[in-house]
Amino acid sequence: MDNMAYTHSGVGDERQERRRSRGHRWRKETVELAAVFAAVAAADLVANVVVHGHDGPVLLVASAAAMLATALFRGWLAHRHPHGPPGPAAPPGGPAVTPAEEPTVLWRLRTSVSDAPGSLARVCTALAELRVNIVSMQAHPLPDCTVDEFIVRAPEALPRTDLAAAVAAGGGWDIWTDRADAHELVDVPRQVLALATRTALDAAELPVALRQLFGRATIRQYPGRGDGTPAGLEGHLMRLPLPGGDLLELSRPHLPFTPTEFARARALVELDTVLGPRVPAVAARISHLDDELTVRRATPDDKPAALAMHARCSAESLRRRYHGPVRDADRYLDHLLDPRHGQTLAVETSDGRLVALAHLMWDDEGAEIALLVEDAWQRRGLGVDLVRRMAALALEAGVRTVYAVTTSANTGLISTMRRLSAPLDYQVEDGTLVITAHLAEATEKLPTPWPTSH
């Protein structure tokens, strides 16, 4: 019955509204008709006075002057008081609208909210009251709540604490905030597809893809520990067994992983498993006086040639490269030539001999570079070419720092790192020298890694 009463009431309101509309229309038409008759009568009166009256010409000139004065006055009034549309008004009880010139910054914001209608709206309203604009948003559903992640643009003067307090006032909890930059303004599905494409083309890209997907996460790879460890998620820790028997462990102490993020990581690992080991067929020519050299990506099939190069290298060159007994140098090749552990570059002569090997190995937020050049080919510029090429490959993968581990006696590698034209940090500990290059300032000075592949 309540529904019926509501329906009848709605019909009655519509009828009353139609009656009021018809009455208003008739009144308007009556007034307009009366105004037309009055204007005709006034025009007839003026015509009779001008034609038959003694002061007709004077009255006509006076009328024209009055109309001209009225037009001038109206123009002056409009100039003094423009009647443009009003500017945006502030919401009732809220702050003024943000000026377009107000400096802003980007924030990445994550919060848990209750899985109930209106919970997200309350958080958005709380942000709007502080003139915070939501640029992008994604939801991570959980069994008992939802984790919402935002990229927001906020006034530069807004403190982080006020931003978090507003979200808490809107009903959020477990709030995390961090400064963001323009590189994070990407569509998440498109980003995942792009990372999947890079992983499909190159097995070495899997750790890089995971780092770009999860931001500041620590990624460690443990050889031979993946067979007995199932994939799993435990808050801030994610474990992913790899096809070759290794274990990939991701940790993010400042922010727990969500099941949605775990599913994305497993999808990339499963793609890598299905495709198997793969190395892109890229190469570049190095013009040299003695021979025509080719630098390319190395594969496990290069192990015999790499062993032969080891045999031609001096014990001192092998010791500086592998930081250990010379007899153990050959044992590292299986790991270094596996594309899942990083990118290895090989320099090959026209007759198929390898004369240099360079390794780019992903490590947490940076990458380690290592270099071995056959003694007969040292001091000919090969080391500089390979280090600069590896730095460019690191930048392509989104890695901003590379480092080399050596000793202070290895003046050749120290000089080569300086040729990167990038700011360097030196750290000495227990006789070991770690040289870290910050590549952001050297972007335009680095070469294109594979110019023949474009």
Side-chain angles (χ1 to χ4, degrees):
M1 292 298 293
D2 293 339
N3 293 337
M4 292 293 292
Y6 174 80
T7 303
H8 293 324
S9 175
V11 173
D13 292 342
E14 292 179 359
R15 291 175 178 172
Q16 293 178 5
E17 182 64 25
R18 286 198 297 269
R19 293 194 190 99
R20 285 195 296 267
S21 177
R22 285 197 298 268
H24 176 73
R25 186 170 63 251
W26 279 108
R27 286 193 298 271
K28 180 180 178 181
E29 292 177 353
T30 303
V31 171
E32 291 177 351
L33 185 61
V36 170
F37 278 109
V40 171
D44 182 67
L45 178 61
V46 171
N48 289 330
V49 171
V50 171
V51 175
H52 303 289
H54 297 287
D55 299 327
V58 177
L59 180 61
L60 185 61
V61 172
S63 299
M67 292 177 64
L68 179 61
T70 302
L72 293 175
F73 177 75
R74 181 178 178 81
W76 173 82
L77 188 65
H79 180 73
R80 287 287 303 272
H81 305 283
H83 297 283
V97 175
T98 307
E101 297 81 9
E102 182 178 11
T104 59
V105 294
L106 291 173
W107 289 92
R108 179 180 290 276
L109 188 154
R110 180 178 284 197
T111 180
S112 298
V113 296
S114 61
D115 190 9
S119 57
L120 176 60
R122 286 190 290 272
V123 173
C124 295
T125 301
L127 293 175
E129 291 177 353
L130 294 180
R131 307 193 307 277
V132 176
N133 181 41
I134 297 175
V135 179
S136 68
M137 178 263 179
Q138 59 175 314
H140 303 262
L142 299 179
D144 55 347
C145 65
T146 300
V147 176
D148 291 333
E149 187 170 354
F150 305 89
I151 297 292
V152 300
R153 190 182 302 277
E156 188 176 21
L158 182 67
R160 180 198 299 259
T161 53
D162 291 357
L163 182 63
V167 176
W173 70 90
D174 289 340
I175 302 164
W176 171 83
T177 58
D178 194 18
R179 289 291 290 269
D181 57 33
H183 296 90
E184 300 182 61
L185 297 177
V186 295
D187 179 65
V188 175
R190 176 187 290 182
Q191 181 191 27
V192 173
L193 287 174
L195 295 177
T197 301
R198 294 185 60 171
T199 303
L201 296 175
D202 189 352
E205 292 290 327
L206 178 61
V208 179
L210 293 173
R211 181 184 291 111
Q212 292 185 0
L213 189 60
F214 300 131
R216 292 188 302 167
T218 300
I219 301 177
R220 300 189 184 279
Q221 190 165 339
Y222 299 98
R225 291 174 54 179
D227 292 335
T229 305
L233 174 63
E234 299 176 5
H236 299 267
L237 186 65
M238 186 189 302
R239 294 186 178 90
L240 299 166
L242 299 179
D246 293 354
L247 177 66
L248 200 64
E249 191 175 88
L250 289 78
S251 60
R252 194 170 60 184
H254 63 282
L255 190 64
F257 295 107
T258 65
T260 302
E261 292 176 319
F262 179 60
R264 292 170 182 166
R266 289 196 67 178
L268 288 177
V269 172
E270 290 172 0
L271 176 66
D272 179 66
T273 303
V274 170
L275 296 176
R278 59 211 173 275
V279 175
V282 290
R285 298 289 183 182
I286 301 178
S287 297
H288 205 278
L289 295 177
D290 298 332
D291 200 346
E292 187 70 23
L293 303 179
T294 301
V295 57
R296 58 174 175 80
R297 285 285 299 275
T299 70
D301 295 336
D302 289 314
K303 184 178 179 181
L307 289 172
M309 189 189 76
H310 277 185
R312 296 191 300 269
C313 290
S314 66
E316 182 62 24
S317 294
L318 294 175
R319 187 178 299 109
R320 287 181 176 179
R321 165 60 188 90
Y322 295 108
H323 314 293
V326 175
R327 63 179 180 273
D328 295 335
D330 294 347
R331 297 194 299 110
Y332 296 111
L333 288 177
D334 288 332
H335 177 83
L336 294 174
L337 294 176
D338 187 340
R340 289 193 173 96
H341 296 138
Q343 299 189 30
T344 297
L345 307 185
V347 178
E348 188 176 41
T349 62
S350 57
D351 59 2
R353 291 182 299 116
L354 296 187
V355 296
L357 287 173
H359 309 285
L360 179 66
M361 297 162 285
W362 315 124
D363 181 24
D364 291 345
E365 296 184 4
E368 180 183 358
I369 59 176
L371 183 65
L372 175 64
V373 179
E374 186 180 325
D375 292 60
W377 288 86
Q378 291 178 8
R379 304 186 185 280
R380 300 190 185 188
L382 288 184
V384 174
D385 180 279
L386 290 172
V387 168
R388 287 171 56 81
R389 201 177 297 271
M390 287 189 293
L393 288 170
L395 277 177
E396 277 191 355
V399 177
R400 300 290 178 178
T401 59
V402 296
Y403 67 92
V405 180
T406 184
T407 62
S408 56
N410 192 351
T411 56
L413 182 58
I414 296 173
S415 175
T416 300
M417 292 292 290
R418 288 174 177 169
R419 298 285 294 275
L420 282 175
S421 301
L424 301 178
D425 293 337
Y426 299 89
Q427 183 178 358
V428 180
E429 185 176 351
D430 297 331
T432 300
L433 173 64
V434 180
I435 308 174
T436 303
H438 302 273
L439 303 178
E441 297 184 18
T443 303
E444 298 180 356
K445 303 175 183 178
L446 295 175
T448 301
W450 309 114
T452 60
S453 65
H454 298 289

